[in-house]
Amino acid sequence: MTKRGCAALATNRSTAQRVLDEPGFVLHHYDWSESSLILEVFTRLLGRVALVAKGAKRPTSQLRAVLLPLQPILVCFGGEGEIRTLKSAEWAGGHVMPTGDALLSGYYLNELMLRLLARDDPHAGLFDIYRQTVKVLSSGLDNTTAPLLRAFELLLLQDIGFLPDLTQQTLTLQPLQLEKNYVLLAEAGLRASQQAPCLSGAQWLQLHTALQTTDALTALLRVCAEWPGEDRAALQTQLRNLLHYHCGVNSLRTRQVMMELQSL
């Protein structure tokens, strides 16, 4: 059996898999019965898994205070089917719940993960990036939320294979020229363009370099924070269009909520 915090897999005579003390985050939950919940949990070694938490809605359940979004937890579960059974869960510690705009941004990240990640598809590197992102959101640092979201979006798209090579034009395979402008399109990748929103070749190469660093999230956060507001807005629009295309929607629900709250 592995140390605490790592998944310990055991197989009994019925070949049902049991996972012990696996790091995870609750992305979403659904009502399953009057007293139970279906959880969508993002785990480090097994990816996104569906778990039934029996009795979790009861007032006396100890799980009520643990199965919260954007909080690091350790889960034990078992079963063979698409929806497995949660045996236990406990808070892993590390940071408090984000509040305000940071909380809504965290829900936005969760919606992206639910739409773009298949169940039982491991993404250990992305899990670490997600954990780091949520920790920064919880820190309450000023003026970091928007650059942080752009950084996470880029890393998510790269991890799942939807981000093209940022050093060349996608269709022609010609290297980017530093002074020319390029736009990121869902079906065509990077293409030369003079119409807004677009970024220069130098900026796309700057993002590419940051993506290759050991601590890519911090490097991208620094790059996006240093850009002028109009360039950050151009990047946001292009990444949003790419994400919506692959999510199969015109707008994400969490973004609609954020826009409605901003209009009040």
Side-chain angles (χ1 to χ4, degrees):
M1 185 178 297
T2 60
K3 295 187 297 183
R4 180 185 182 85
C6 297
L9 307 182
T11 305
N12 61 22
R13 292 179 181 178
S14 64
T15 69
Q17 188 182 70
R18 188 176 183 185
V19 180
L20 304 178
D21 292 334
E22 168 68 357
F25 286 86
V26 175
L27 298 178
H28 193 51
H29 66 76
Y30 315 86
D31 289 335
W32 186 57
S33 66
E34 291 185 0
S35 62
S36 301
L37 297 170
I38 297 292
L39 307 172
E40 293 283 357
V41 181
F42 184 40
T43 67
R44 190 177 192 278
L45 295 185
L46 298 176
R48 182 166 70 92
V49 297
L51 306 176
V52 57
K54 296 180 179 179
K57 294 169 60 178
R58 292 174 182 156
T60 56
S61 174
Q62 295 180 348
L63 293 174
R64 288 169 62 91
V66 177
L67 300 177
L68 301 174
L70 308 174
Q71 289 293 286
I73 58 176
L74 297 174
V75 292
C76 299
F77 57 90
E80 293 182 282
E82 182 180 359
I83 300 177
R84 283 162 272 190
T85 302
L86 179 70
K87 303 298 184 181
S88 65
E90 61 180 275
W91 184 55
H95 60 76
V96 298
M97 178 77 75
T99 59
D101 290 342
L103 178 61
L104 290 174
S105 296
Y107 286 142
Y108 166 72
L109 299 184
N110 288 356
E111 185 175 3
L112 286 179
M113 307 279 274
L114 285 169
R115 291 183 177 274
L116 294 173
L117 300 184
R119 283 181 179 166
D120 300 308
D121 185 15
H123 293 269
L126 183 62
F127 180 92
D128 294 337
I129 291 167
Y130 175 86
R131 177 165 51 190
Q132 186 181 358
T133 302
V134 172
K135 186 174 182 178
V136 176
L137 285 175
S138 302
S139 67
L141 295 175
D142 294 334
N143 303 318
T144 61
T145 300
L148 182 66
L149 293 182
R150 302 295 82 76
F152 182 84
E153 289 165 351
L154 285 162
L155 288 163
L156 171 61
L157 288 166
Q158 177 181 254
D159 187 86
I160 59 180
F162 290 156
L163 187 69
D165 187 339
L166 300 184
T167 67
Q168 60 186 13
Q169 297 187 60
T170 304
L171 297 180
T172 66
L173 302 183
Q174 294 298 311
L176 300 188
Q177 298 181 33
L178 299 183
E179 301 302 324
K180 290 190 67 173
N181 291 328
Y182 301 88
V183 63
L184 179 60
L185 302 174
E187 296 181 338
L190 279 178
R191 189 178 70 182
S193 176
Q194 294 301 321
Q195 297 182 348
C198 58
L199 296 171
S200 70
Q203 290 174 308
W204 288 116
L205 291 171
Q206 191 178 15
L207 293 174
H208 170 78
T209 300
L211 282 165
Q212 308 312 308
T213 61
T214 302
D215 188 358
L217 182 69
T218 300
L220 287 167
L221 176 58
R222 185 179 299 112
V223 169
C224 294
E226 292 174 350
W227 281 5
E230 60 270 20
D231 291 337
R232 290 203 302 269
L235 177 62
Q236 177 182 4
T237 299
Q238 294 174 80
L239 292 179
R240 183 188 305 159
N241 291 338
L242 185 58
L243 288 164
H244 288 175
Y245 174 83
H246 289 295
C247 288
V249 297
N250 293 323
S251 180
L252 294 172
R253 179 174 176 80
T254 46
R255 174 157 181 79
Q256 292 176 339
V257 172
M258 285 189 281
M259 293 176 63
E260 290 171 0
L261 290 175
Q262 289 172 357
S263 67
L264 295 178

